[in-house]
C-alpha cells in the first residue's frame, strides 16, 4: 500500500509573514488521523524559518531546486548539503518551469537527481509533456525520454529513494486539470516503464499528479490506481484549499 503524498510547491511566492501564517494554518488544521505524507516546498529564503515552524510536526520540508555542484564558485546557487543544513528532506528536480524558463535539460535534471541523493535528500522528479506534444501523440515518448535519461545516469535502484511527479505542462497554473483517466493512463505507463526494469521498485514508487489540483478535484484524482498524491502549486498557497487536498488523500 503506497502512502499518499500531498506536496505544496509554493514557487516564488511568499513572505516571512505568509510563511508563518500558512504553516500554522496547515499544522493546526491537519487532521490527527491524516494518514498522508505532507510536504511543503517554500522558496529558498524561507526554508530556515519554515524549518523552525515545522519542528515537532510530521510535515516535511522540501526545496524547489538544487545545484548540480557540491560547493564552490557558483554564485547564486544552493547545494544539496545546504538544503540538508536548512532542514530539507526533499527537493523538486526537473519542474517544467525550470526546464522551460531556465534551460534545464534532462541531462542536467539527472545530475540534480544524483546530487540530491548523494546528500540524502529525496528527489521529486517532475515529468510532463506540453500541449503541442500531447496533441502530436507524443506524451509517452516525452515522459519516457525524461525518465530514461535519469535512469541512465543513476540506475534503476536509485528510484527506491525517490518520488515521481507527472505534471502535464498544459495543466500547470491553467485551471485545466487532466481528467482522472488522462492522469491514470500516463501514471500507469510510467509505472510499467519502471516495472520493466525493477518490479518491486515500481510497486512501491509514489507517482504524484500535478497541474491545477485543488480541494474539489483532488479526491477523484487520488482515487485512481496509480495516482499516489499531488504536487500542488496555486492551491497550496491557500491554507483551507491545501487542507482539503490533504483530507482528500
Ligand atoms: P498548479 O502548479 O497546481 O498551480 O497548476 C503545479 C506545479 O507547478 O507544481
Amino acid at each position: 500500500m503506497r502512502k499518499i503524498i500531498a506536496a505544496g510547491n509554493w514557487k516564488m511566492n511568499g513572505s516571512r509573514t505568509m510563511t508563518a501564517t500558512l504553516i500554522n494554518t496547515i499544522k493546526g488544521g491537519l487532521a490527527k488521523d491524516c494518514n498522508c505524507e505532507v510536504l511543503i516546498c517554500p522558496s529558498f529564503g524561507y526554508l530556515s524559518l519554515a524549518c523552525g515552524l515545522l519542528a515537532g510536526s510530521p510535515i516535511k520540508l522540501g526545496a524547489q531546486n538544487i545545484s548540480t555542484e557540491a560547493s564552490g564558485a557558483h554564485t547564486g546557487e544552493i547545494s544539496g548539503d545546504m538544503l540538508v543544513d536548512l532542514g530539507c528532506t526533499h527537493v523538486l528536480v526537473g519542474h517544467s518551469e525550470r526546464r522551460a524558463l531556465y534551460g534545464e535539460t534532462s541531462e542536467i535534471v539527472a545530475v540534480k537527481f544524483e546530487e540530491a541523493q548523494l546528500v540524502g535528500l529525496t528527489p521529486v522528479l517532475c515529468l510532463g509533456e506540453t500541449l503541442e506534444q500531447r496533441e502530436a501523440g507524443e506524451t509517452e515518448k516525452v515522459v519516457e525520454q525524461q525518465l530514461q535519461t535519469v535512469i541512465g545516469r543513476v540506475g534503476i535502484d536509485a528510484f527506491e529513494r525517490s518520488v515521481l511527479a507527472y505534471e502535464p505542462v498544459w495543466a500547470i497554473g491553467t485551471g485545466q486539470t487532466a481528467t482522472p483517466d488522462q492522469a491514470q493512463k500516463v501514471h500507469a505507463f510510467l509505472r510499467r516503464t519502471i516495472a520493466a526494469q525493477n518490479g518491486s521498485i515500481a510497486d512501491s514508487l509514489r507517482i504524484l499528479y500535478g497541474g491545477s489540483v485543488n480541494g474539489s478535484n483532488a479526491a477523484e484524482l487520488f482515487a485512481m490506481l496509480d495516482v499516489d498524491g499531488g504536487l500542488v502549486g496555486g492551491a497550496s498557497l491557500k491554507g483551507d484549499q491545501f487542507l482539503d487536498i490533504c483530507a482528500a488523500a
Side-chain angles (χ1 to χ4, degrees), residues 4 51 85 158:
I4 297 275
C51 179
D85 198 28

Side-chain angles (χ1 to χ4, degrees), residues 163-166 187 190-191 205-209 226-229:
V163 174
L164 287 192
Y166 168 58
H187 283 231
L190 290 168
R191 202 179 301 286
L205 182 69
R206 266 88 58 88
I207 308 179
L208 314 184
Y209 166 78
D226 290 294
V227 179
D228 309 310

Side-chain angles (χ1 to χ4, degrees), residues 23-56:
I23 287 180
N24 287 330
T25 304
I26 298 168
K27 262 174 42 174
L30 206 57
K32 297 278 171 292
D33 58 353
C34 169
N35 58 3
C36 72
E37 215 170 290
V38 180
L39 169 69
I40 57 165
C41 304
S43 79
F44 292 143
Y46 302 116
L47 287 173
S48 185
L49 174 64
C51 179
L53 291 162
L54 291 174

Side-chain angles (χ1 to χ4, degrees), residues 49-138:
L49 174 64
C51 179
L53 291 162
L54 291 174
S57 129
I59 300 168
K60 295 181 174 153
L61 186 65
Q64 299 170 17
N65 190 18
I66 179 174
S67 174
T68 54
E69 307 300 323
S71 68
H74 299 282
T75 304
E77 290 289 292
I78 186 158
S79 72
D81 277 331
M82 292 171 181
L83 297 179
V84 172
D85 198 28
L86 287 165
C88 294
T89 53
H90 291 68
V91 62
L92 308 182
V93 296
H95 190 280
S96 64
E97 286 151 18
R98 301 289 325 161
R99 293 179 193 260
L101 305 174
Y102 298 96
E104 287 191 15
T105 61
S106 289
E107 287 72 21
I108 293 173
V109 173
V111 176
K112 293 189 171 199
F113 185 105
E114 186 175 44
E115 280 299 312
Q117 288 199 328
L118 278 174
V119 297
L121 290 167
T122 300
V124 179
L125 172 62
C126 306
L127 316 160
E129 82 289 1
T130 63
L131 185 58
E132 211 174 29
Q133 289 165 333
R134 170 163 284 261
E135 284 173 346
E138 292 172 357

Side-chain angles (χ1 to χ4, degrees), residues 9 11 95 97 167 171-173 211-213 231-234:
N9 172 12
K11 308 194 182 185
H95 190 280
E97 286 151 18
E167 297 205 303
I172 295 179
S212 300
V213 175
L231 178 56
V232 187

